[in-house]
Amino acid sequence: MQEKVFEIRENTEIAKDVWEIRLTGDTSGMDKPGQFVNVSLPGFFLRRPISVCCVKGQELTLIYKTVGKGTGTLATLREGQLNLLTGLGNGYDLERAGNAPLLIGGGVGVPPLYELARQLTARGLKVQVILGFNSSCDVFYEEQFHDLGCDVTVTTVDGSYGMKGFVTDALEGRVFTYYYTCGPMPMLKAVRQKCHGDGEFSLEERMGCGFGACMGCSCKTTGGYKRVCREGPVFRKEEILWEN
């Protein structure tokens, strides 16, 4: 964990209440897809955890949804600096991918899968991606995944874009070697029930500190309680003790 200052380059709305902020600074220590940063905002005591979408050289891309006063304030920033705690969390394990991995993302669970897809396709792997949203106005980053060479399927709950239904409805007949997923807990539970074989899950939890001190984001695992911010957010499927 390191505290660093980044310069704001762009901060634009890319879907309904979904923003992409591009920053420049020292990106060392952010080498594993699935990691996150903790953003300090003026006037707020607690930092905001945001997953890393992409790291290229000194450029860092974050995607966030405006759901409260903190992220609402972040969306108003167009220039200046942001103080970030970086290198947080345990990322996805690329070595388990096999030659045909499947990535499954729902809503704001999509961003960390982009950096994962970028690194997997750079290895020459055939990457399949399922992106799930509520409606057409919520869809983002479909073209960016296409540009990486991924086989992309988009689902919307209301059927206004892509395939109607949930991400699990797009799993029928899929052949893959390993899967990676990130999204809300109901989606993760459904994926676990539908997806056979091995996989990794990135959990979404409220975090107080973001680096394991407060124990506020603990979850039950086969190895006892573990902190989503420290030992996670990525866990292997068999580690998690799923509650109904």
Side-chain angles (χ1 to χ4, degrees):
M1 177 187 71
Q2 293 181 301
E3 188 171 23
K4 300 176 182 178
V5 175
F6 283 75
E7 295 285 341
I8 299 173
R9 288 187 54 199
E10 294 180 63
N11 193 12
T12 55
E13 191 172 17
I14 59 174
K16 183 182 178 183
D17 299 324
V18 176
W19 292 72
E20 177 189 70
I21 185 167
R22 295 176 181 266
L23 309 166
T24 54
D26 180 4
T27 59
S28 61
M30 289 181 277
D31 52 352
K32 295 181 180 179
Q35 290 181 301
F36 67 96
V37 298
N38 234 2
V39 183
S40 177
L41 294 170
F44 294 88
F45 176 71
L46 293 178
R47 293 174 180 261
R48 266 56 184 178
I50 301 177
S51 58
V52 172
C53 176
C54 184
V55 179
K56 287 184 179 179
Q58 296 299 300
E59 183 173 291
L60 171 66
T61 301
L62 309 175
I63 292 178
Y64 61 96
K65 187 170 184 176
T66 51
V67 294
K69 291 182 179 180
T71 47
T73 297
L74 182 57
T76 67
L77 303 180
R78 297 292 181 273
E79 59 183 16
Q81 298 179 329
L82 280 180
N83 181 290
L84 273 58
L85 292 181
T86 68
L88 301 175
N90 172 51
Y92 292 107
D93 186 352
L94 277 69
E95 301 307 319
R96 298 181 180 276
N99 58 12
L102 171 64
L103 281 55
I104 310 165
V108 289
V110 168
L113 297 181
Y114 178 76
E115 178 63 23
L116 175 61
R118 199 173 73 86
Q119 295 192 27
L120 290 173
T121 53
R123 296 184 173 202
L125 304 182
K126 181 181 178 182
V127 179
Q128 302 174 64
V129 179
I130 303 174
L131 307 177
F133 304 94
N134 287 324
S135 185
S136 59
C137 62
D138 302 311
V139 177
F140 64 91
Y141 259 55
E142 177 188 7
E143 288 304 315
Q144 285 85 342
F145 280 99
H146 273 303
D147 290 344
L148 292 176
C150 300
D151 177 3
V152 184
T153 300
V154 175
T155 69
T156 53
V157 176
D158 64 4
S160 57
Y161 186 84
M163 179 180 179
K164 182 176 182 179
F166 300 100
V167 292
T168 48
D169 295 314
L171 290 171
E172 193 68 33
R174 296 267 178 177
V175 177
F176 52 90
T177 51
Y178 197 75
Y179 69 93
Y180 304 90
T181 185
C182 183
M185 185 56 75
M187 188 204 89
L188 297 182
K189 288 181 177 180
V191 168
R192 173 181 171 268
Q193 292 295 325
K194 189 83 172 182
C195 265
H196 301 292
D198 294 329
E200 293 178 11
F201 291 70
S202 181
L203 304 184
E204 296 179 353
E205 285 287 347
R206 286 185 174 274
M207 298 178 186
C209 66
F211 48 84
C214 71
M215 303 296 290
C217 61
S218 298
C219 68
K220 290 182 180 180
T221 74
T222 54
Y225 279 95
K226 291 188 177 180
R227 299 159 294 184
V228 173
C229 70
R230 185 77 174 185
E231 287 79 35
V234 178
F235 296 94
R236 293 183 65 185
K237 181 178 73 173
E238 62 270 22
E239 287 184 88
I240 306 168
L241 291 179
W242 300 88
E243 297 181 356
N244 295 326

